Amino acid sequence: MDMNEVTAAARQALTELLDAAHLEPGSVLVVGCSSSEILGQKIGTASSMDAAKALLDGLLPLLRERGIYLAAQCCEHLNRALIVEKALAQRDRLDRVNVVPQPKAGGSFATAVWEALEQPVAVESIRADAGMDVGSTLIGMHLKPVVVPVRTSVDHIGCAPLVLARTRYKYVGGPRAHYDESLM
């Protein structure tokens, strides 16, 4: 597996997602990743820090450039807790939990994010504005309530299937209501 291709695919997918989602600085992107699936293995069987770091290399520079927070979903062994910057946890008053991810308990991607963030903390849950699911890790529980799938030119990262999503505001009102088209 060419890790440069993983990085390039991640960057391309994220660029297209950000264009579709219209995220503003301070928004949150949740990412779930099976590094095993990137390598073509069954989820949870071949954790790879190299694959995780390659994915992160495609995401983090662009997120930082645009002022968007990353929330890395841990695996089921940590109840899908999330790794975020301490500043985000404080800003949004997120419930912190006491855990440090490891490749086999939390996942390689969460571990790579823990190592890359300035002040990483683990939190129990979040309501993100957009999401990236690499390898069918099931990130839906960490997205705001109205989720819209986003189709891009990238549908796999390595061998892992890729699902992208944005959220939108709920529509309220009835047949007489009018809506702001720019928020749809």
Side-chain angles (χ1 to χ4, degrees), residues 59-115:
L59 304 179
L60 199 52
L62 185 54
L63 292 173
R64 284 181 170 157
E65 176 185 309
R66 295 196 187 192
I68 297 168
Y69 285 104
L70 173 62
Q73 178 181 270
C74 295
C75 73
E76 65 191 271
H77 297 102
L78 298 186
N79 296 328
R80 292 193 172 85
L82 301 126
I83 306 306
V84 300
E85 284 286 5
K86 184 177 182 179
L88 174 63
Q90 291 173 329
R91 182 194 80 179
D92 290 355
R93 306 184 86 183
L94 302 174
D95 291 329
R96 287 180 59 183
V97 293
N98 185 6
V99 71
V100 176
Q102 304 298 309
K104 299 277 185 188
S108 290
F109 183 71
T111 302
V113 170
W114 182 275
E115 293 171 357

Side-chain angles (χ1 to χ4, degrees), residues 72-164:
Q73 178 181 270
C74 295
C75 73
E76 65 191 271
H77 297 102
L78 298 186
N79 296 328
R80 292 193 172 85
L82 301 126
I83 306 306
V84 300
E85 284 286 5
K86 184 177 182 179
L88 174 63
Q90 291 173 329
R91 182 194 80 179
D92 290 355
R93 306 184 86 183
L94 302 174
D95 291 329
R96 287 180 59 183
V97 293
N98 185 6
V99 71
V100 176
Q102 304 298 309
K104 299 277 185 188
S108 290
F109 183 71
T111 302
V113 170
W114 182 275
E115 293 171 357
L117 296 183
E118 292 177 24
Q119 290 186 291
V121 297
V123 299
E124 189 170 28
S125 64
I126 202 164
R127 286 293 188 208
D129 303 290
M132 176 179 277
D133 188 330
V134 183
S136 303
T137 61
L138 304 177
I139 62 166
M141 68 187 84
H142 295 304
L143 290 166
K144 289 179 178 175
V146 184
V147 180
V148 179
V150 175
R151 305 282 186 245
T152 66
S153 65
V154 180
D155 63 1
H156 280 76
I157 294 182
C159 296
L162 177 64
V163 176
L164 302 168

